[in-house]
């Protein structure tokens, strides 16, 4: 591919925030500056781009940020960006500010925006930023490792009180339409049941029967990890308590899963991905998304990445069930 000269790189975070986004921003800023390229930070995602909330970023602006959760650039969801007029306006604003390369940190929706901008002549690179792990082209997303560890620690705490009271606990974790957080917590916390939107065999009668069977076998509690894509935890708790006679409580972990200082893994992977985004732009690449597969950092065409599918690994799910004996 012919080299395009990149003089200014823009960076924005979009969609739900995720721990490690700051490490990615920092890596974009410092890698670009190190190569003599100017960096502009765009606040509040695509909404901020359309509102021209654009600031210059220096190496010092990203000091003391690698350990912080959230995103120093703020994030937003933006309906206008889904429209053709919004996309054209966004591309024109990039051009007005001399942004010839744009790094978009977010999920599939954010990549769709980056794809539209690439088609309008702005060189774009997407970095996978979401606690949900629901991006098909990559085995790793920025923020998942921190979120799953945060959820795991919270579930350990619920388990203590659940054991003391010999209760059933239904703990709802985030993940939107995906069950990865639920699956990982289910294994890491030794849950008796994992409910995920991807599994269609969810059967409450079978759960009730299993709870009764587990009590006979001397289990002191019964932990159900429920993905938010299944939801209904509070009503489910009432129904299960009524059917089993076992006291049942629902805990919805909520947004605490999205906050907190990123783990080492999220800091390191996000840093590498941020640097890689700049390198790809400098090589003249556009409409690419960075991922991590089979032990390597890789990049894909955004069109191809958005067309990929990803499911819950059956073997892991089977193991989770076997270990709940
Ligand atoms: P995520 O990036 O985590 O998947 P969303 O689906 O909420 O989160 O998308 C984030 C933002 O990306 C949206 O608010 C919107 O501004 C933009 N976006 C989503 N889908 C599209 C699309 N099809 N075309 C253009 N922009 C989009
Ligand atoms: O995509 C990240 C995520 O936290 C999902 O797990 C959840 O469904 C959603 O965002 C919640 O979004 P909001 O913060 O807008 O309520």
């Amino acid at each position: 591919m012919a080299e395009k000269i990149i003089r200014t790189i823009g960076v924005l975070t979009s969609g739900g925030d995720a721990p490690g986004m700051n490490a990615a921003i920092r890596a974009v800023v410092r890698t670009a500056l190190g190569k003599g390229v100017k960096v502009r930070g765009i606040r509040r995602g695509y909404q901020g781009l359309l509102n021209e909330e654009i600031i210059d970023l220096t190496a010092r602006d990203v000091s003391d940020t690698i350990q912080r959760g959230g995103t120093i650039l703020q994030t937003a969801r933006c309906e206008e960006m889904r429209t053709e007029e919004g996309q054209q306006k966004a591309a024109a604003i990039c051009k007005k500010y001399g942004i010839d390369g744009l790094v978009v940190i977010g999920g599939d929706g954010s990549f769709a925006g980056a794809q539209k901008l690439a088609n309008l002549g702005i060189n774009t690179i997407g970095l996978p930023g979401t606690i949900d792990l629901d991006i098909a082209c990559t085995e790793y997303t920025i923020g998942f490792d921190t979120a799953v560890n945060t959820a795991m620690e919270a579930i350990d705490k619920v388990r203590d009180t659940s054991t003391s009271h010999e209760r059933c606990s239904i703990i709802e974790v985030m993940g939107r339409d995906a069950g990865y957080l639920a699956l990982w917590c289910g294994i890491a916390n030794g849950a008796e049941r994992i409910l995920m939107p991807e599994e269609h065999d969810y059967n409450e009668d079978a759960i009730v029967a299993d709870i009764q069977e587990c009590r006979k076998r001397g289990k002191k509690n019964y932990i159900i990890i429920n993905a938010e894509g299944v939801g209904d935890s509070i009503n489910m708790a009432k129904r299960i308590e009524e059917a089993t006679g076992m006291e049942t409580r629902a805990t919805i972990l909520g947004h605490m899963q999205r906050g907190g200082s990123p783990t080492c893994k999220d800091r390191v992977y996000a840093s590498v991905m941020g640097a890689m985004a700049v390198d790809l732009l400098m090589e003249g690449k556009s409409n690419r998304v960075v991922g991590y597969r089979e032990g390597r950092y890789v990049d894909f065409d955004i069109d191809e990445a958005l067309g990929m599918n990803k499911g819950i690994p059956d073997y892991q799910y089977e193991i989770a069930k076997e270990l709940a004996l």
Side-chain angles (χ1 to χ4, degrees), residues 4 50 65 89 114 152-153 155 164 206 224 227 283:
K4 296 170 195 167
L50 292 173
T65 61
K89 186 175 164 194
M152 181 190 73
E153 285 171 19
I155 294 164
S164 305
I224 300 173
E283 285 165 22

Side-chain angles (χ1 to χ4, degrees), residues 16 77 130-132 174-176 228 255 258:
R77 296 195 170 93
T130 168
I131 65 161
D132 301 335
M174 276 189 165
R176 206 187 296 216
E228 75 165 331
H255 286 83
R258 252 181 27 205

Side-chain angles (χ1 to χ4, degrees), residues 243-261:
T244 61
M246 187 176 193
E247 273 193 319
T248 303
R249 297 286 187 270
T251 306
I252 299 171
L253 295 184
H255 286 83
M256 56 93 73
Q257 293 162 95
R258 252 181 27 205
S261 180

Side-chain angles (χ1 to χ4, degrees), residues 132 172-178 182 195 197 226-233 252:
D132 301 335
E172 189 171 309
V173 297
M174 276 189 165
R176 206 187 296 216
D177 301 322
L195 307 181
N226 187 27
E228 75 165 331
V230 175
D232 197 34
S233 298
I252 299 171

Side-chain angles (χ1 to χ4, degrees), residues 6 9 14 17 23 43 57 92 133 137 139 152 172 177 218 251 264 289 296 321 323:
I6 302 287
I9 289 178
S14 166
D17 65 344
R43 309 192 81 123
L57 288 176
L133 196 66
C137 71
E139 292 157 13
M152 181 190 73
E172 189 171 309
D177 301 322
T251 306
C264 177
V289 53
R296 291 178 55 234
K321 285 200 256 186
L323 296 181

